[in-house]
Amino acid sequence: DHQPLPGVTVGDLGPKFGFNAMDNGFLLLDHVRVPRLNLLQRYITVAQGGRVSRPKNVDPKVAYGTMVYVRTQIVRNMSQVLAKATTTAIRYAAVRRQFSGKADKRVDGESPVLDYGMVQHRLIPLLAQNYAMFATSQAFAAHYAESMTELNRGNFGPLKELHATACGLKRWTSDVAIHGIDTCRHACGGHGFSQFSGLNEFFGNQYPNIIWEGDNYVLSQQTARFVLTQVNALRAGKQVADNQTTQYLRAHLPGGHLPKTAPAFTQMPVADLASNSEAQLQLLGFRAASMAAELADSMAAGQSHNRSLVAMQRLCDAHSDYIVASYFRRHLHTLAPASPLAPTLNKLATLLFLYVLEQHSADLLRLTVGAFSPAQISEVEQLLAQVIEEVREQAVPLVDALGITDLRLNSALGRSDGKVYENYLEWAMEDPLNREDTGNAIRKQWFEKYYKPVLHAAKNKRDARL
C-alpha cells in the first residue's frame, strides 16, 4: 500500500521560492536498523561491532570525487543558464527603441536601448563572462577527467587542488549566472517583469544553484584554505604539488612571500596590458597571490579564522578570476591562427580582464607591492567603456552563436525573428480573459460576484430595511 514502514516518517517540505517541480522532503527514522549490506562501503567500512575504518591507502578526501563531479556539472549548466538570459536581454535591447538623440551613436528615429552606455555596461560584460564560462566548463571537465583517471590508479595527489578549484568555480559561475539573470530582467524594463519574458520563473528555478551542493560563502572558505595552505608550505620550504594554483603562487611569491620590488606588468600602461594576454594573466595571478600572502601574514600574526572569513571570500574570488581567465585564454589558443573568430573572441577575453579590474579596483589600489595608481584605474574605466562599445557591434551575432532555440528560450522578448511586440501580443491574446470565446463569460462572472454587490450596495441596504 506504499505506506512507510514502522518507525519511518516521510513528508514534503512545502512550497519554495522556485524549482517547485522538485520534491524536497524529510525522512525521520525512529529505532530503525539499517543492515550493513545496505551501506555503501567502497572507501569506508563499518564492522559488525560498529567500528568505523577506512583502507590505509585511501585519502579521506576521496569522497570529494562525487561532489566535484556534481560541481563540474553545475559549472557547465551555469554557462547554459546565463546564455538564455543574455540572449533574451541583448536581443530585446537591440529591438527596443527609446528616445532620440540621447545615445552617442546617431540613428534615424529613436535609439535602440542597447546603444545606451548604462545598458551596455550591464549586459556586454555578462556576454564576455558567458563565453568565459563555456570555455571554463569544457577545460575544467577535462581537468576533472584527468584527475579521476589518476584517482582510479590510486594516485590521490590531484584531488585537493581539484576540489578547491571546483569550489571556487561553482561559486564564481553560479554567482555570475544568478545575478546575471536578475540583471537581464532589469535591463528588459517593465517587460522583464512579465512572465512572457521567460526570465522570472526561470530566475526562481535557477536560484538554488548558489546554495545547493555547498553554499557559496562556505565554499569560498574551502578554496581560500587550500591557497593559504600552499602559501604556508612554500614559506616552510616544503615541496608542493605542481598545479595551476601553485604555479602562479611560486611565480609571484618567492619563498611564499611578496617580492621586494613591483613586477613590471603592474607598471605597464593599461592599453599595453589590454593588448598583452600573458601580462593580463600575470596581473590576475599576482593579485590573487598578493591577497593570499597578506592574509597568511595576518593569520600568522594572530588574526582568528572567524575574523579572516571576509578576506577569504575576496581571496576565493581573486583566485577564481585567475582560473577562469586562464581557462578562457587556453581555450582561445585552440583556434587556428587565421581564424576569423579570433579577433572578436580575444576582445571578449580582454573585456573580461578589464571588467575584473574595474569591479575590483580596491584590490589593485591596496596592493602592498605594485599598487595601481588612481590614474591607472581611470585608464581601466575609460578603456573598458571603449571595448564595451566595440563589442556591442557584435553583441547580437554573439548571442545568436550561443544557439539557444526559441523553444528553449521560451520568451516573447528574445525571439530570434526580432518580432518582439507581435509575439508578445499574440501570447497575450491567448489569455482566457482576452479570448472572444471565454473573455465575456469571465468578465460577466467577475461583475456579478465582485463589482455588482459594491455598485448596488446602497440599493441593497435600502431594500434590506424594507
Side-chain angles (χ1 to χ4, degrees), residues 394-447:
Q394 297 295 324
V396 174
L398 282 167
V399 295
D400 288 349
L402 296 174
I404 309 296
T405 65
D406 287 341
L407 181 64
R408 286 182 57 204
L409 209 59
N410 190 31
S411 170
L413 306 186
R415 286 285 295 253
S416 58
D417 58 13
K419 296 180 179 180
V420 171
Y421 301 106
E422 296 90 336
N423 282 297
Y424 194 103
L425 184 59
E426 181 182 343
W427 288 20
M429 293 306 295
E430 289 299 314
D431 189 310
L433 186 61
N434 295 329
R435 289 168 51 179
E436 292 184 6
D437 57 338
T438 56
N440 290 333
I442 293 173
R443 283 187 286 273
K444 182 178 180 180
Q445 181 183 15
W446 285 359
F447 179 82

Side-chain angles (χ1 to χ4, degrees), residues 126-265:
L126 277 176
L127 183 58
Q129 289 173 317
N130 207 164
Y131 270 79
M133 270 191 210
F134 275 110
T136 296
S137 66
Q138 295 183 42
F140 185 62
H143 182 188
Y144 170 81
E146 293 168 3
S147 299
M148 289 301 101
T149 299
E150 291 301 311
L151 188 147
N152 289 330
R153 291 173 179 165
N155 176 16
F156 298 95
L159 190 57
K160 293 180 181 179
E161 195 267 345
L162 180 73
H163 174 250
T165 302
C167 291
L169 291 182
K170 188 269 181 182
R171 170 186 164 96
W172 191 95
T173 56
S174 58
D175 270 1
V176 169
I178 302 311
H179 293 121
I181 297 172
D182 202 27
T183 297
C184 289
R185 291 166 67 223
H186 290 184
C188 290
H191 282 154
F193 192 65
S194 166
Q195 290 287 28
F196 294 163
S197 72
L199 295 175
N200 293 293
E201 186 176 350
F202 181 63
F203 175 70
N205 288 342
Q206 298 302 326
Y207 193 86
N209 282 282
I210 64 175
I211 302 168
W212 61 25
E213 292 302 323
D215 175 84
N216 282 359
Y217 286 100
V218 176
L219 287 184
S220 67
Q221 298 174 45
Q222 303 276 337
T223 302
R225 276 203 296 265
F226 173 77
V227 175
L228 291 170
T229 299
Q230 305 312 301
V231 170
N232 289 326
L234 290 172
R235 291 180 173 183
K238 296 179 181 178
Q239 186 175 3
V240 296
D242 183 36
N243 52 55
Q244 55 192 350
T245 300
T246 57
Q247 285 169 8
Y248 81 74
L249 291 176
R250 279 197 296 248
H252 301 303
L253 301 178
H257 296 278
L258 287 167
K260 301 297 183 183
T261 58
F265 52 80

Side-chain angles (χ1 to χ4, degrees), residues 51-86:
R51 188 173 64 88
V52 178
S53 63
R54 59 170 51 90
K56 293 182 179 179
N57 65 331
V58 173
D59 190 303
K61 292 185 173 61
V62 70
Y64 290 173
T66 301
M67 290 190 291
V68 170
Y69 171 76
V70 175
R71 289 166 189 162
T72 302
Q73 298 307 303
I74 291 176
V75 171
R76 180 181 64 84
N77 291 340
M78 289 302 94
S79 62
Q80 298 173 0
V81 163
L82 185 58
K84 178 175 177 178
T86 54

Side-chain angles (χ1 to χ4, degrees), residues 284 293 356:
L284 293 177
V356 169

